Amino acid sequence: MELTTTPNIPAPDSFYAELIRCHEGLSDDESAAFNARLILLLANHIGDPEVLSEAMRKASLD
Amino acid sequence: MPLDDRYRLAFRLYPYARSADQDAAAPVRHPVVVVGGGPIGIATALDLGLQGIPVVVLDDHEGIGQGSRAICFAKRSLEIADRYGCAGPMLDKGVVWNLGKVFYQDRKIYDFNLLPEEGHRFPAFINLQQPYFEKFLVERVREAQADGAPIEIRGKNRVEAVEVRDDHTILTVATPEGDYTILADWLIACDGAGSPLRSMMGLDFEGRVFKDSFLIADIRMLSESFPTERWFWFEPSHKAGASTLLHKQPDDVWRVDFQIGWDVDRAEELKEENVRRRLDAMLGPEVDYELVWSSIYTFQCRRMKAFRHGRVIFAGDAAHQVSPFGARGANSGMQDADNLGWKLGMVIRGEAPDRLLDSYHEERAHGADENILNSTRATDFITPKSKISHVFRNAVLELAERYEFARPLVNSGRLSVPCSYDGLSLTGEDALPGGPARSRPGTPCPDAPLGNGFLLKGLGGGFTILTVDAEAPETVTEDGVTATRRAVSAADDPSGALALRYLGEAEGAVYLIRPDQHVVARWSGYDESALRAALRRACGKE
C-alpha cells in the first residue's frame, strides 16, 4: 500500500474543527501528549509499516 | 439628536421630501414599514412591492453609503435579484473570477481554479462594490414604481421610538422638519448589525467576539495591474498584516485586507501614510496606486434568539452577524428577504395563517447557524486562537505546498452557498426514488439550461408544479392558493444537466416549488392528494 496524499477526508472543515476542539483547555504539554496518543492510535489503525515509514518521512518535510 | 449623516454617501438616491403623513391629522397606518434602506431593506421592499403590497422604507440617510464593504455576491443572491428583475446590471458590472492563489510566508504554496459548473445563468459569485449592488436595487425600485408598485423610500427619516402592540407598531420618526408618527401593521427591521430597533426593543444579540481587527484598503492601480484573481497570504514575509487578502473589484479597484491584531489605534492606523506603509510593504515601492477607501473592522458571530417578535421581524445583519470570511453577510440577508417576502405577502392577503411567519425564523435561523458555523471555522483557521491551533494551521499550510490532501483543509473562507430547509416545518416528502440529492425537498432549485434560456427564469413568485417528463393539471387550487404548472422535458436540455439535476435515475418527476424557488416536495408522478397536502404544509396550514 502507498500512503494516500490525495484528499480522503469527506468533510474536511468539520474534521479540522473537531481536532482543534480536542485541544481546548489543554496546556502545551497536555496538547503534545494528546497528539502523541492520537498519532499512536492512528498508526495502529494503519498498521502497514511501509505506509507508516513513508508518512514519517513526508512529515519531516524531507 | 440631530439628523447628521453617520457616513458619506456614494449615491444620493432618495433625498428628504416631506410626506403627506407628516401633515396628517391622525397617524397614518401602513401595511408594512421597513426600517433601513440597505440592500436587505430595499430587497424586502421590492419583493413586497412587486406583489402589490404597499411598503414604506425609512432610512436615516438620503442614499447609499460609501465604501465597498460587502464585495462578493454569490450565485443565489444573483438568482434572487433576477427574480426581482435587477440581476442584469449586477452581472454586467461585476467581476467574475475563478483563479485563486494561496501564499505562505514568502512563497506561493498552491493555486486553484474554481471551474464553474456549466449550465447556470449566473456564475458562482461576482465581485461588486456594495454601493453598486444597492444602487441597482434602488433603480429597480424606481422602475417598479413607474409600473405602479406601491413602494415608497423616505430619506432622512429616522425611527426614534417604537411602541409594539399586538397587531401593529407605533413609530416616532425624526425628520429634518421635526418628528411625526406612523403606524405599521408589520415592521421589518433591516437596520443593520447595530440595529437601533433591536436596542429599542431590548432584545438580545449574543455570540462570539473575535479579538482581531482588519484594515481594508481599496486601491486603484496607476502603474500596473494585477490579474483578476484572489490572492490570500498567511503570515506574509512583508509583515504588512498577519494575513492579507487581495481581491479584484470593478473600476480597476483592488480590495486589500490586512489582519492587524486586536490592540490597535484606529485613528493612527487609518492615517493615509500608515495605510500606504502597509501597502508599500506588500506591493513593493515601485507600484503606484490611488487610495480609494479605507476602514478598520472587527467582527462578531452572533444572532438573535428569535427573528420574529409578533409584528416585528428582523432580517439581515440586524438579525445575525457573521465574520466576513466566506461572504455570508449580505448574501444571507438576501435569502432572508427572499424567504420573508412571499410569506408576509400571503399572510397579509389572508391566504395563509399568521404562523407561516414563524417558519421565517425557523428557516432563516437555521441558515444563520450554518453561516456562523462556516465563517467561525474560517476565522479560526485564519486567526488561530491558541498555540496548538497555530501549529496545526501552519502544518496544514506546509503540507499543502507538497501534498494535495492538505489543500481542502486550508480555509480562508468557504464561499456562500444557500442552506437547505431539510426536515423543517414547511418541507414535505421526497417521493422520487433515485432523485438527485441536490434538488431534494428543502433545497433551492439548482438552475439548468432550458431551450435558449434557463430554468430558474420565470420560476418562483407563486407556487409552481414543475413537471419533468410527467403529467399534472395546469393549476391546482387548495384553500385559496393556486400552484401553476410549468412543464419541461429532459429533451429541452441537450447538455443533460436538467436531467442530472432533476431526474437522477428517475424517468419523470413532479416537483412542488415555493415562491422563493425552494423545493417543497417531489414525486415520481402526479398524486393529487399528496400535492394538496404539500401545498397546505408549505403555507403553514398543516
Side-chain angles (χ1 to χ4, degrees), chain A residues 5 13-14 16 58 61-62, chain B residues 377 393 402-403 405 414:
Chain A
T5 58
D13 287 348
S14 62
Y16 192 80
K58 285 191 158 61
L61 298 181
D62 275 351
Chain B
R377 285 173 175 175
R393 198 281 303 273
R402 293 157 185 254
Y403 307 112
F405 87 91
R414 303 280 180 238

Side-chain angles (χ1 to χ4, degrees), chain B residues 405-438:
Chain B
F405 87 91
R407 292 174 193 169
L409 294 168
V410 176
N411 189 347
S412 65
R414 303 280 180 238
L415 283 153
S416 175
V417 287
C419 73
S420 170
Y421 305 136
D422 288 273
L424 302 187
S425 308
L426 303 190
T427 304
E429 62 185 327
D430 186 355
L432 181 66
R438 65 189 292 179

Side-chain angles (χ1 to χ4, degrees), chain B residues 502-514:
Chain B
Y502 285 88
L503 289 177
E505 293 157 23
E507 297 280 310
V510 176
Y511 284 77
L512 178 65
I513 293 164
R514 307 191 331 188

Side-chain angles (χ1 to χ4, degrees), chain B residues 77-88 121-122 456-458:
Chain B
S77 293
L78 295 171
E79 289 168 353
I80 294 166
D82 197 36
R83 198 163 69 73
Y84 300 150
C86 52
R121 162 125 161 76
F122 296 102
L456 286 192
K457 190 79 190 170

Side-chain angles (χ1 to χ4, degrees), chain A residues 4-9 12-17 19-20 23 28 31-32 35 38 57-59 61-62, chain B residues 374 377 380-381 386-389 392-394 396 398-399 402-411 414:
Chain A
T4 304
T5 58
T6 49
N8 190 38
I9 299 171
D13 287 348
S14 62
F15 154 72
Y16 192 80
L19 176 64
I20 299 302
H23 289 273
D28 291 349
S31 274
N35 284 337
L38 183 62
R57 199 183 64 73
K58 285 191 158 61
L61 298 181
D62 275 351
Chain B
N374 276 293
R377 285 173 175 175
D380 284 340
F381 193 86
S386 66
K387 190 174 160 189
I388 190 70
S389 176
F392 268 110
R393 198 281 303 273
N394 288 355
V396 166
E398 273 167 335
L399 289 167
R402 293 157 185 254
Y403 307 112
E404 201 192 327
F405 87 91
R407 292 174 193 169
L409 294 168
V410 176
N411 189 347
R414 303 280 180 238

